[in-house]
Amino acid sequence: MTSRRDFIKKSAFASAFVIGGLPELGKSEPLPYSNNIRKPIVISTWPHGMPANDAAWKILSGGGRALDAVEQGVMVVEADTTNLSVGLGGYPDRDGHVTLDASIMDEKGNCGSVGCIEHILHPISVARMVMEKTPHVMLVGDGAYQFALENGFKRSTQEMTPEVKTAWEKWKSENHFQPVIDKNNHDTIGMVAMDNNGDLSGSCTTSGLAWKVHGRVGDSPIIGDGLFVDNEIGAACATGKGEAVMKICGTHLIVELMRNGKTPQQACEEAIQRIAKKQSDYKTFQVGFLAINKNGDTGAYSLSKGFQYALAVNGENKLFDSDYFVKA
């Protein structure tokens, strides 16, 4: 059986990469535009961010909107039935339900999300429809599913793959029906991008924690936790243990730190340090953050070794190892 970590180990990756940033500014001073803004640009989590970035780049390089790019980009991963942490091919909850979470946010502050939705291939597109067709931000469970059907989405006939079903049965026999959160069962895909107009958007989609209690919703569909965009300042997305991100409103924190003069890299590092300071079990799980500001400067940082991210800029799409907090 292919595990998520095996998937990452088998993926090609580049050497660690030092990200430049803005000089530190005074508190509450707005970030200035550079004379040499890097755009378009797209950054996303994990090795599956590589094909996602490729799809997003086709839109961005053609002058398309960042919102369309971040939707189309993560749809590639949602449709990959071999991915065990995103889409209908992901590991189920402890009752055998594959429930999906997704969120999307545009340059105008509009946002939409779905939580604990089942049987829909592209929850990110349902999230966008929630944003564009309702006065709400979030729909969950059966309500989200019914909304999807009413708006032209089809019920997927996909069932658990034999590999996933075998893993689920093995987990039940070994863990006595108790959810287990460790560094191997909470990957996702988050993506943030800036288009040629200098506008930012972001997306996040996941099947959530493997073997979670039925009904659990993590950070991915929560605006300000798994994803946040402020077109005046920057954008951020998260991956890893959602509960840990939610406890610090991680992506909103990062954008506010950038608003107060931090570079994207500094902001990601401070958010991770906040988790380590506030959550005593931080060595037992993984969290990774990505951020981008209006100059096209980027940041990436994680709790532990192993977080990778894909960055597409200047026509090149590359995979990098993130720096991390826990060195021992």
Side-chain angles (χ1 to χ4, degrees):
M1 182 188 73
T2 302
S3 71
R4 298 179 189 189
R5 292 282 80 86
D6 289 334
F7 170 75
I8 290 174
K9 289 177 182 176
K10 290 178 181 177
S11 302
F13 61 91
S15 299
F17 160 82
V18 179
I19 302 174
L22 290 168
E24 211 162 317
L25 303 174
K27 185 172 175 144
S28 297
E29 195 171 344
L31 293 172
Y33 278 97
S34 165
N35 291 324
N36 187 28
I37 300 171
R38 294 200 303 173
K39 61 179 183 179
I41 183 170
V42 57
I43 187 170
S44 60
T45 58
W46 302 111
H48 49 226
M50 290 291 287
N53 279 8
D54 286 339
W57 188 258
K58 290 179 182 178
I59 295 172
L60 294 171
S61 62
R65 189 180 174 196
L67 179 65
D68 296 325
V70 297
E71 179 190 14
Q72 293 292 321
V74 300
M75 285 174 68
V76 172
V77 186
E78 287 180 336
D80 180 4
T81 58
T82 67
N83 193 298
L84 301 178
S85 60
V86 178
L88 292 172
Y91 286 133
D93 63 25
R94 67 179 188 176
D95 294 339
H97 298 272
V98 178
T99 63
L100 309 179
D101 303 329
S103 63
I104 195 164
M105 193 168 186
D106 72 8
E107 76 280 8
K108 298 177 182 178
N110 300 312
C111 48
S113 71
V114 291
C116 206
I117 190 172
E118 297 184 59
H119 312 302
I120 298 296
L121 179 61
H122 290 301
I124 194 64
S125 298
V126 183
R128 180 170 179 175
M129 193 164 285
V130 171
M131 177 180 76
E132 295 179 338
K133 289 196 171 186
T134 81
H136 310 307
V137 170
M138 187 176 192
L139 297 179
V140 300
D142 289 341
Y145 174 66
Q146 290 301 323
F147 172 80
L149 296 183
E150 290 167 5
N151 284 276
F153 292 86
K154 304 298 182 184
R155 179 188 173 100
S156 173
T157 58
Q158 181 177 330
E159 303 291 343
M160 273 193 286
T161 65
E163 179 184 43
V164 168
K165 188 171 183 179
T166 297
W168 175 53
E169 296 288 354
K170 183 174 185 292
W171 169 81
K172 287 195 297 180
S173 66
E174 293 178 351
N175 291 278
H176 309 291
F177 217 54
Q178 294 300 313
V180 176
I181 299 177
D182 59 28
K183 295 180 182 179
N184 299 316
N185 73 341
H186 45 57
D187 301 344
T188 184
I189 181 159
M191 173 182 283
V192 289
M194 181 164 61
D195 59 32
N196 280 317
N197 291 325
D199 288 327
L200 296 163
S201 291
S203 61
C204 192
T205 181
T206 186
S207 58
L209 287 173
W211 333 130
K212 61 197 175 189
V213 173
H214 184 60
R216 179 264 187 187
V217 172
D219 66 309
S220 296
I222 308 298
I223 302 301
D225 289 332
L227 173 70
F228 194 69
V229 178
D230 185 326
N231 205 45
E232 294 180 357
I233 305 299
C237 61
T239 185
K241 182 183 175 183
E243 287 78 359
V245 176
M246 295 164 81
K247 289 175 181 178
I248 65 162
C249 298
T251 56
H252 183 268
L253 171 63
I254 288 169
V255 172
E256 290 305 296
L257 288 168
M258 291 193 290
R259 189 189 307 278
N260 288 324
K262 299 291 187 182
T263 68
Q265 185 63 34
Q266 290 168 339
C268 289
E269 290 179 11
E270 186 164 331
I272 288 293
Q273 291 163 7
R274 186 80 57 90
I275 290 175
K277 180 180 180 180
K278 299 288 187 179
Q279 302 177 41
S280 61
D281 60 342
Y282 69 91
K283 291 185 178 181
T284 68
F285 57 82
Q286 177 69 298
V287 168
F289 290 116
L290 298 177
I292 184 173
N293 67 13
K294 289 288 282 187
N295 280 352
D297 299 316
T298 55
Y301 202 63
S302 62
L303 269 174
S304 302
K305 184 178 181 180
F307 175 46
Q308 295 177 300
Y309 62 96
L311 174 65
V313 65
N314 296 326
E316 291 186 301
N317 186 24
K318 295 182 179 180
L319 190 66
F320 298 95
D321 292 320
S322 170
D323 194 7
Y324 53 96
F325 180 75
V326 180
K327 301 295 186 182

